[in-house]
Amino acid sequence: MEWNPAYSWLVLALLLSLAELTSGAMLLLALGIAAALTALVTALGLGVPWQLLCMGIFSGVLVPLGIRYIRPRFSPRGVAYGTTGTGVEKGNRYTTLERDYDGATGIKVNGDFYRLRVLESGDTALPPGTEVIFKRFEGTTALVVLTPPPDPTHHDNAHKKEP
């Protein structure tokens, strides 16, 4: 079997598609499909400049399609990947959890477990199920404050009917 330049594009397509398994961003898969389409164009006998032009055109079309329309279909709803630690979680309420293998207390933010530290007291261990308010990250530690207990002296009269 004689080596054909189309085989080089097919090998590149295979490597890019396999590399996609490590990222999940659909970028490498789109480039792999573009390389496979370029292999088809190369099999027609076009020269290297045309091959590169076709690869550029296919990539320019497939990469935005892959990222905009295909990637969201593989991501769970409500999870904003890549935003953890940017401040979007600030002020959100979380319930503490205890990790099984070491008993560490923490919270889950976007599906990932983070150890916690209470800002007021510096405590790192709280009972599971304690409600906390997230403030910020310090390294990989979530800094939280305890939710204030309900005030028994405060009466909500908005729901009472007048006689």
Short mmCIF file of all heavy atoms in Angstrom, two decimals, residues 46-104:
data_model
loop_
_atom_site.label_atom_id
_atom_site.label_comp_id
_atom_site.label_asym_id
_atom_site.label_seq_id
_atom_site.Cartn_x
_atom_site.Cartn_y
_atom_site.Cartn_z
N LEU A 46 -6.17 17.48 -4.84
CA LEU A 46 -5.82 18.90 -4.70
C LEU A 46 -4.48 19.05 -4.01
O LEU A 46 -4.09 18.22 -3.18
CB LEU A 46 -6.90 19.65 -3.92
CG LEU A 46 -8.26 19.74 -4.59
CD1 LEU A 46 -9.25 20.46 -3.71
CD2 LEU A 46 -8.16 20.44 -5.94
N GLY A 47 -3.76 20.13 -4.32
CA GLY A 47 -2.44 20.37 -3.76
C GLY A 47 -2.49 20.88 -2.32
O GLY A 47 -3.56 21.14 -1.77
N VAL A 48 -1.29 21.03 -1.74
CA VAL A 48 -1.17 21.44 -0.33
C VAL A 48 -1.82 22.80 -0.05
O VAL A 48 -2.53 22.94 0.95
CB VAL A 48 0.32 21.42 0.11
CG1 VAL A 48 0.47 21.98 1.51
CG2 VAL A 48 0.86 20.01 0.04
N PRO A 49 -1.65 23.82 -0.90
CA PRO A 49 -2.32 25.09 -0.60
C PRO A 49 -3.84 24.95 -0.53
O PRO A 49 -4.48 25.54 0.36
CB PRO A 49 -1.92 26.01 -1.76
CG PRO A 49 -0.65 25.45 -2.28
CD PRO A 49 -0.76 23.96 -2.07
N TRP A 50 -4.42 24.16 -1.42
CA TRP A 50 -5.86 23.94 -1.38
C TRP A 50 -6.27 23.12 -0.16
O TRP A 50 -7.34 23.34 0.41
CB TRP A 50 -6.32 23.25 -2.67
CG TRP A 50 -6.35 24.19 -3.84
CD1 TRP A 50 -5.45 24.25 -4.85
CD2 TRP A 50 -7.30 25.21 -4.07
NE1 TRP A 50 -5.77 25.25 -5.72
CE2 TRP A 50 -6.93 25.87 -5.26
CE3 TRP A 50 -8.43 25.65 -3.40
CZ2 TRP A 50 -7.65 26.93 -5.79
CZ3 TRP A 50 -9.16 26.71 -3.94
CH2 TRP A 50 -8.76 27.34 -5.11
N GLN A 51 -5.44 22.18 0.22
CA GLN A 51 -5.73 21.39 1.42
C GLN A 51 -5.78 22.28 2.65
O GLN A 51 -6.70 22.18 3.48
CB GLN A 51 -4.67 20.31 1.61
CG GLN A 51 -4.66 19.24 0.55
CD GLN A 51 -3.47 18.31 0.69
OE1 GLN A 51 -2.93 18.15 1.77
NE2 GLN A 51 -3.06 17.71 -0.42
N LEU A 52 -4.79 23.16 2.77
CA LEU A 52 -4.75 24.07 3.93
C LEU A 52 -5.92 25.05 3.90
O LEU A 52 -6.49 25.36 4.95
CB LEU A 52 -3.41 24.81 3.96
CG LEU A 52 -2.18 23.93 4.20
CD1 LEU A 52 -0.91 24.76 4.12
CD2 LEU A 52 -2.27 23.22 5.53
N LEU A 53 -6.27 25.52 2.72
CA LEU A 53 -7.42 26.42 2.60
C LEU A 53 -8.71 25.70 3.01
O LEU A 53 -9.53 26.25 3.76
CB LEU A 53 -7.54 26.94 1.16
CG LEU A 53 -8.72 27.88 0.91
CD1 LEU A 53 -8.52 29.19 1.65
CD2 LEU A 53 -8.89 28.12 -0.58
N CYS A 54 -8.87 24.47 2.56
CA CYS A 54 -10.06 23.68 2.93
C CYS A 54 -10.09 23.41 4.43
O CYS A 54 -11.15 23.51 5.06
CB CYS A 54 -10.10 22.38 2.15
SG CYS A 54 -10.49 22.62 0.40
N MET A 55 -8.93 23.09 5.00
CA MET A 55 -8.87 22.86 6.45
C MET A 55 -9.28 24.13 7.21
O MET A 55 -10.01 24.07 8.19
CB MET A 55 -7.45 22.42 6.86
CG MET A 55 -7.28 22.16 8.33
SD MET A 55 -8.28 20.79 8.91
CE MET A 55 -7.82 20.76 10.63
N GLY A 56 -8.82 25.28 6.74
CA GLY A 56 -9.20 26.54 7.37
C GLY A 56 -10.68 26.82 7.26
O GLY A 56 -11.32 27.26 8.22
N ILE A 57 -11.25 26.58 6.11
CA ILE A 57 -12.69 26.82 5.91
C ILE A 57 -13.51 25.85 6.76
O ILE A 57 -14.45 26.25 7.44
CB ILE A 57 -13.06 26.71 4.41
CG1 ILE A 57 -12.44 27.88 3.65
CG2 ILE A 57 -14.57 26.67 4.22
CD1 ILE A 57 -12.54 27.75 2.14
N PHE A 58 -13.16 24.55 6.70
CA PHE A 58 -13.89 23.57 7.50
C PHE A 58 -13.79 23.88 8.99
O PHE A 58 -14.78 23.78 9.72
CB PHE A 58 -13.39 22.15 7.22
CG PHE A 58 -13.70 21.64 5.84
CD1 PHE A 58 -12.80 20.84 5.17
CD2 PHE A 58 -14.89 21.95 5.20
CE1 PHE A 58 -13.07 20.36 3.90
CE2 PHE A 58 -15.17 21.48 3.93
CZ PHE A 58 -14.26 20.68 3.27
N SER A 59 -12.61 24.27 9.44
CA SER A 59 -12.43 24.60 10.86
C SER A 59 -13.23 25.84 11.22
O SER A 59 -13.85 25.89 12.30
CB SER A 59 -10.96 24.84 11.16
OG SER A 59 -10.20 23.69 10.94
N GLY A 60 -13.22 26.84 10.35
CA GLY A 60 -13.95 28.07 10.61
C GLY A 60 -15.44 27.87 10.72
O GLY A 60 -16.13 28.62 11.39
N VAL A 61 -15.96 26.84 10.06
CA VAL A 61 -17.39 26.54 10.12
C VAL A 61 -17.70 25.59 11.28
O VAL A 61 -18.64 25.80 12.05
CB VAL A 61 -17.88 25.94 8.78
CG1 VAL A 61 -19.30 25.42 8.89
CG2 VAL A 61 -17.78 26.99 7.68
N LEU A 62 -16.89 24.53 11.43
CA LEU A 62 -17.22 23.48 12.40
C LEU A 62 -16.90 23.85 13.85
O LEU A 62 -17.61 23.40 14.75
CB LEU A 62 -16.50 22.18 12.01
CG LEU A 62 -17.01 21.53 10.72
CD1 LEU A 62 -16.12 20.37 10.33
CD2 LEU A 62 -18.44 21.09 10.90
N VAL A 63 -15.86 24.62 14.09
CA VAL A 63 -15.51 24.95 15.48
C VAL A 63 -16.61 25.76 16.16
O VAL A 63 -17.07 25.40 17.25
CB VAL A 63 -14.13 25.64 15.55
CG1 VAL A 63 -13.90 26.26 16.92
CG2 VAL A 63 -13.02 24.64 15.24
N PRO A 64 -17.11 26.84 15.54
CA PRO A 64 -18.21 27.56 16.21
C PRO A 64 -19.47 26.70 16.35
O PRO A 64 -20.16 26.79 17.37
CB PRO A 64 -18.47 28.76 15.29
CG PRO A 64 -17.23 28.95 14.52
CD PRO A 64 -16.63 27.59 14.37
N LEU A 65 -19.77 25.88 15.34
CA LEU A 65 -20.93 25.00 15.46
C LEU A 65 -20.77 24.01 16.61
O LEU A 65 -21.72 23.76 17.37
CB LEU A 65 -21.15 24.23 14.15
CG LEU A 65 -21.72 25.02 12.97
CD1 LEU A 65 -21.76 24.15 11.73
CD2 LEU A 65 -23.09 25.54 13.30
N GLY A 66 -19.59 23.44 16.71
CA GLY A 66 -19.35 22.47 17.78
C GLY A 66 -19.45 23.08 19.16
O GLY A 66 -20.02 22.49 20.08
N ILE A 67 -18.89 24.27 19.31
CA ILE A 67 -18.89 24.91 20.63
C ILE A 67 -20.27 25.47 20.97
O ILE A 67 -20.75 25.33 22.09
CB ILE A 67 -17.82 26.01 20.68
CG1 ILE A 67 -16.44 25.35 20.64
CG2 ILE A 67 -17.97 26.86 21.92
CD1 ILE A 67 -15.29 26.33 20.53
N ARG A 68 -20.93 26.07 20.03
CA ARG A 68 -22.20 26.74 20.32
C ARG A 68 -23.39 25.79 20.39
O ARG A 68 -24.27 25.95 21.23
CB ARG A 68 -22.46 27.81 19.29
CG ARG A 68 -23.76 28.50 19.51
CD ARG A 68 -23.94 29.72 18.65
NE ARG A 68 -24.53 30.72 19.49
CZ ARG A 68 -24.09 31.95 19.61
NH1 ARG A 68 -23.05 32.33 18.96
NH2 ARG A 68 -24.70 32.80 20.38
N TYR A 69 -23.44 24.78 19.52
CA TYR A 69 -24.64 23.96 19.44
C TYR A 69 -24.47 22.54 19.96
O TYR A 69 -25.42 21.96 20.46
CB TYR A 69 -25.14 23.92 18.00
CG TYR A 69 -25.55 25.28 17.50
CD1 TYR A 69 -24.79 25.95 16.56
CD2 TYR A 69 -26.68 25.90 17.99
CE1 TYR A 69 -25.16 27.21 16.11
CE2 TYR A 69 -27.06 27.16 17.56
CZ TYR A 69 -26.29 27.81 16.62
OH TYR A 69 -26.65 29.06 16.20
N ILE A 70 -23.28 21.96 19.81
CA ILE A 70 -23.11 20.57 20.23
C ILE A 70 -22.69 20.47 21.69
O ILE A 70 -23.21 19.65 22.43
CB ILE A 70 -22.09 19.85 19.31
CG1 ILE A 70 -22.64 19.82 17.88
CG2 ILE A 70 -21.82 18.44 19.80
CD1 ILE A 70 -21.68 19.31 16.86
N ARG A 71 -21.74 21.30 22.13
CA ARG A 71 -21.26 21.21 23.51
C ARG A 71 -22.37 21.37 24.54
O ARG A 71 -22.41 20.61 25.51
CB ARG A 71 -20.14 22.22 23.75
CG ARG A 71 -19.60 22.12 25.17
CD ARG A 71 -18.42 22.98 25.42
NE ARG A 71 -18.71 24.38 25.20
CZ ARG A 71 -17.83 25.34 25.34
NH1 ARG A 71 -16.60 25.06 25.69
NH2 ARG A 71 -18.16 26.58 25.13
N PRO A 72 -23.32 22.30 24.40
CA PRO A 72 -24.37 22.42 25.41
C PRO A 72 -25.22 21.16 25.56
O PRO A 72 -25.77 20.91 26.64
CB PRO A 72 -25.22 23.59 24.92
CG PRO A 72 -24.31 24.40 24.08
CD PRO A 72 -23.39 23.41 23.44
N ARG A 73 -25.30 20.35 24.53
CA ARG A 73 -26.09 19.12 24.63
C ARG A 73 -25.43 18.07 25.53
O ARG A 73 -26.09 17.16 26.01
CB ARG A 73 -26.31 18.53 23.24
CG ARG A 73 -27.13 19.42 22.35
CD ARG A 73 -27.40 18.74 21.03
NE ARG A 73 -27.99 19.66 20.07
CZ ARG A 73 -29.29 19.93 20.00
NH1 ARG A 73 -30.11 19.36 20.83
NH2 ARG A 73 -29.74 20.75 19.10
N PHE A 74 -24.12 18.21 25.76
CA PHE A 74 -23.40 17.26 26.59
C PHE A 74 -23.12 17.79 27.99
O PHE A 74 -22.51 17.12 28.79
CB PHE A 74 -22.07 16.87 25.92
CG PHE A 74 -22.26 16.07 24.67
CD1 PHE A 74 -22.25 16.67 23.43
CD2 PHE A 74 -22.49 14.71 24.75
CE1 PHE A 74 -22.45 15.93 22.28
CE2 PHE A 74 -22.68 13.95 23.61
CZ PHE A 74 -22.67 14.57 22.36
N SER A 75 -23.55 19.01 28.30
CA SER A 75 -23.32 19.61 29.61
C SER A 75 -24.62 19.58 30.41
O SER A 75 -25.68 19.88 29.87
CB SER A 75 -22.86 21.07 29.46
OG SER A 75 -21.65 21.13 28.78
N PRO A 76 -24.53 19.27 31.70
CA PRO A 76 -25.74 19.29 32.52
C PRO A 76 -26.29 20.71 32.63
O PRO A 76 -25.54 21.68 32.64
CB PRO A 76 -25.29 18.78 33.88
CG PRO A 76 -23.85 18.49 33.78
CD PRO A 76 -23.37 18.85 32.43
N ARG A 77 -27.59 20.83 32.74
CA ARG A 77 -28.23 22.15 32.86
C ARG A 77 -27.89 22.78 34.20
O ARG A 77 -27.79 22.10 35.22
CB ARG A 77 -29.74 22.00 32.77
CG ARG A 77 -30.19 21.45 31.44
CD ARG A 77 -31.07 22.45 30.72
NE ARG A 77 -31.55 21.87 29.47
CZ ARG A 77 -31.08 22.23 28.29
NH1 ARG A 77 -30.13 23.10 28.21
NH2 ARG A 77 -31.56 21.70 27.20
N GLY A 78 -27.73 24.08 34.19
CA GLY A 78 -27.51 24.83 35.43
C GLY A 78 -26.08 24.85 35.91
O GLY A 78 -25.79 25.48 36.92
N VAL A 79 -25.18 24.19 35.23
CA VAL A 79 -23.78 24.19 35.66
C VAL A 79 -23.01 25.12 34.74
O VAL A 79 -22.98 24.91 33.54
CB VAL A 79 -23.18 22.76 35.62
CG1 VAL A 79 -21.71 22.79 35.98
CG2 VAL A 79 -23.94 21.86 36.57
N ALA A 80 -22.40 26.12 35.34
CA ALA A 80 -21.62 27.08 34.57
C ALA A 80 -20.14 26.71 34.71
O ALA A 80 -19.46 27.18 35.60
CB ALA A 80 -21.87 28.49 35.06
N TYR A 81 -19.67 25.82 33.85
CA TYR A 81 -18.30 25.37 33.94
C TYR A 81 -17.34 26.52 33.70
O TYR A 81 -17.56 27.36 32.84
CB TYR A 81 -18.02 24.26 32.93
CG TYR A 81 -18.68 22.96 33.30
CD1 TYR A 81 -19.74 22.48 32.56
CD2 TYR A 81 -18.26 22.25 34.39
CE1 TYR A 81 -20.36 21.30 32.89
CE2 TYR A 81 -18.87 21.07 34.74
CZ TYR A 81 -19.91 20.60 33.99
OH TYR A 81 -20.52 19.44 34.33
N GLY A 82 -16.27 26.54 34.46
CA GLY A 82 -15.26 27.56 34.29
C GLY A 82 -15.52 28.83 35.07
O GLY A 82 -14.75 29.77 34.98
N THR A 83 -16.61 28.89 35.84
CA THR A 83 -16.90 30.11 36.59
C THR A 83 -16.59 29.98 38.07
O THR A 83 -16.63 30.97 38.78
CB THR A 83 -18.39 30.50 36.44
OG1 THR A 83 -19.19 29.44 36.96
CG2 THR A 83 -18.74 30.76 34.99
N THR A 84 -16.29 28.77 38.54
CA THR A 84 -16.00 28.58 39.95
C THR A 84 -14.78 29.40 40.33
O THR A 84 -13.74 29.32 39.70
CB THR A 84 -15.76 27.10 40.27
OG1 THR A 84 -16.90 26.36 39.86
CG2 THR A 84 -15.53 26.88 41.74
N GLY A 85 -14.93 30.20 41.37
CA GLY A 85 -13.82 31.02 41.85
C GLY A 85 -13.80 32.42 41.28
O GLY A 85 -12.98 33.24 41.67
N THR A 86 -14.71 32.73 40.37
CA THR A 86 -14.72 34.07 39.79
C THR A 86 -15.60 35.03 40.57
O THR A 86 -15.65 36.21 40.25
CB THR A 86 -15.23 34.02 38.33
OG1 THR A 86 -16.56 33.51 38.33
CG2 THR A 86 -14.32 33.19 37.46
N GLY A 87 -16.30 34.53 41.57
CA GLY A 87 -17.13 35.40 42.39
C GLY A 87 -18.62 35.23 42.15
O GLY A 87 -19.42 35.84 42.84
N VAL A 88 -19.00 34.40 41.19
CA VAL A 88 -20.42 34.25 40.91
C VAL A 88 -21.15 33.50 42.02
O VAL A 88 -22.36 33.60 42.14
CB VAL A 88 -20.68 33.54 39.55
CG1 VAL A 88 -20.16 34.36 38.41
CG2 VAL A 88 -20.08 32.16 39.53
N GLU A 89 -20.42 32.77 42.87
CA GLU A 89 -21.05 32.01 43.95
C GLU A 89 -21.23 32.86 45.21
O GLU A 89 -21.88 32.44 46.15
CB GLU A 89 -20.19 30.80 44.34
CG GLU A 89 -19.86 29.88 43.20
CD GLU A 89 -18.59 30.30 42.47
OE1 GLU A 89 -17.92 31.25 42.91
OE2 GLU A 89 -18.28 29.68 41.46
N LYS A 90 -20.62 34.04 45.26
CA LYS A 90 -20.63 34.87 46.46
C LYS A 90 -22.06 35.16 46.91
O LYS A 90 -22.89 35.59 46.12
CB LYS A 90 -19.88 36.18 46.22
CG LYS A 90 -19.76 37.02 47.46
CD LYS A 90 -18.94 38.25 47.21
CE LYS A 90 -18.80 39.02 48.51
NZ LYS A 90 -18.00 40.20 48.34
N GLY A 91 -22.33 34.91 48.18
CA GLY A 91 -23.64 35.16 48.74
C GLY A 91 -24.61 34.00 48.63
O GLY A 91 -25.69 34.06 49.21
N ASN A 92 -24.24 32.95 47.92
CA ASN A 92 -25.12 31.78 47.80
C ASN A 92 -25.10 30.97 49.08
O ASN A 92 -24.09 30.89 49.77
CB ASN A 92 -24.70 30.90 46.63
CG ASN A 92 -25.00 31.53 45.29
OD1 ASN A 92 -25.70 32.52 45.20
ND2 ASN A 92 -24.45 30.95 44.25
N ARG A 93 -26.23 30.35 49.38
CA ARG A 93 -26.33 29.48 50.56
C ARG A 93 -26.01 28.05 50.17
O ARG A 93 -26.43 27.58 49.13
CB ARG A 93 -27.75 29.53 51.14
CG ARG A 93 -28.10 30.85 51.74
CD ARG A 93 -29.54 30.86 52.21
NE ARG A 93 -29.87 32.15 52.75
CZ ARG A 93 -29.95 32.40 54.05
NH1 ARG A 93 -29.75 31.44 54.91
NH2 ARG A 93 -30.25 33.60 54.47
N TYR A 94 -25.26 27.39 51.04
CA TYR A 94 -24.88 26.00 50.83
C TYR A 94 -25.10 25.24 52.12
O TYR A 94 -25.10 25.81 53.21
CB TYR A 94 -23.41 25.88 50.41
CG TYR A 94 -23.13 26.47 49.05
CD1 TYR A 94 -22.68 27.78 48.92
CD2 TYR A 94 -23.31 25.72 47.90
CE1 TYR A 94 -22.43 28.33 47.68
CE2 TYR A 94 -23.07 26.26 46.65
CZ TYR A 94 -22.63 27.55 46.55
OH TYR A 94 -22.38 28.10 45.32
N THR A 95 -25.25 23.94 52.00
CA THR A 95 -25.39 23.06 53.15
C THR A 95 -24.11 22.26 53.28
O THR A 95 -23.62 21.71 52.30
CB THR A 95 -26.60 22.11 52.95
OG1 THR A 95 -27.76 22.89 52.71
CG2 THR A 95 -26.81 21.24 54.17
N THR A 96 -23.58 22.20 54.51
CA THR A 96 -22.30 21.52 54.71
C THR A 96 -22.46 20.02 54.55
O THR A 96 -23.51 19.45 54.81
CB THR A 96 -21.71 21.83 56.09
OG1 THR A 96 -22.63 21.38 57.09
CG2 THR A 96 -21.44 23.31 56.25
N LEU A 97 -21.38 19.40 54.11
CA LEU A 97 -21.31 17.95 53.92
C LEU A 97 -20.09 17.42 54.63
O LEU A 97 -19.14 18.16 54.89
CB LEU A 97 -21.18 17.62 52.43
CG LEU A 97 -22.24 18.16 51.49
CD1 LEU A 97 -21.76 18.05 50.06
CD2 LEU A 97 -23.50 17.38 51.67
N GLU A 98 -20.11 16.15 54.94
CA GLU A 98 -18.92 15.50 55.52
C GLU A 98 -18.42 14.50 54.50
O GLU A 98 -19.15 13.62 54.06
CB GLU A 98 -19.27 14.81 56.83
CG GLU A 98 -18.06 14.25 57.52
CD GLU A 98 -18.40 13.67 58.89
OE1 GLU A 98 -19.17 14.29 59.62
OE2 GLU A 98 -17.90 12.57 59.19
N ARG A 99 -17.14 14.65 54.13
CA ARG A 99 -16.55 13.74 53.15
C ARG A 99 -16.33 12.38 53.79
O ARG A 99 -15.86 12.29 54.92
CB ARG A 99 -15.24 14.35 52.63
CG ARG A 99 -14.75 13.71 51.38
CD ARG A 99 -13.74 14.53 50.64
NE ARG A 99 -12.71 15.07 51.51
CZ ARG A 99 -11.80 15.95 51.10
NH1 ARG A 99 -11.81 16.38 49.88
NH2 ARG A 99 -10.89 16.39 51.93
N ASP A 100 -16.63 11.32 53.07
CA ASP A 100 -16.60 9.96 53.61
C ASP A 100 -15.22 9.52 54.08
O ASP A 100 -15.07 9.02 55.18
CB ASP A 100 -17.11 8.96 52.58
CG ASP A 100 -18.59 9.14 52.29
OD1 ASP A 100 -19.29 9.66 53.15
OD2 ASP A 100 -19.01 8.75 51.19
N TYR A 101 -14.22 9.66 53.24
CA TYR A 101 -12.96 8.99 53.53
C TYR A 101 -12.08 9.69 54.55
O TYR A 101 -11.22 9.07 55.14
CB TYR A 101 -12.16 8.74 52.24
CG TYR A 101 -11.69 9.97 51.52
CD1 TYR A 101 -10.48 10.56 51.82
CD2 TYR A 101 -12.47 10.52 50.52
CE1 TYR A 101 -10.05 11.68 51.15
CE2 TYR A 101 -12.04 11.64 49.84
CZ TYR A 101 -10.83 12.21 50.15
OH TYR A 101 -10.41 13.32 49.48
N ASP A 102 -12.28 10.99 54.79
CA ASP A 102 -11.44 11.64 55.80
C ASP A 102 -12.24 12.48 56.80
O ASP A 102 -11.67 13.06 57.71
CB ASP A 102 -10.36 12.50 55.15
CG ASP A 102 -10.90 13.67 54.36
OD1 ASP A 102 -12.14 13.74 54.18
OD2 ASP A 102 -10.10 14.50 53.90
N GLY A 103 -13.55 12.55 56.66
CA GLY A 103 -14.38 13.27 57.61
C GLY A 103 -14.28 14.78 57.51
O GLY A 103 -14.73 15.50 58.39
N ALA A 104 -13.71 15.30 56.42
CA ALA A 104 -13.56 16.74 56.26
C ALA A 104 -14.93 17.38 56.02
O ALA A 104 -15.79 16.82 55.37
CB ALA A 104 -12.64 17.05 55.09
#
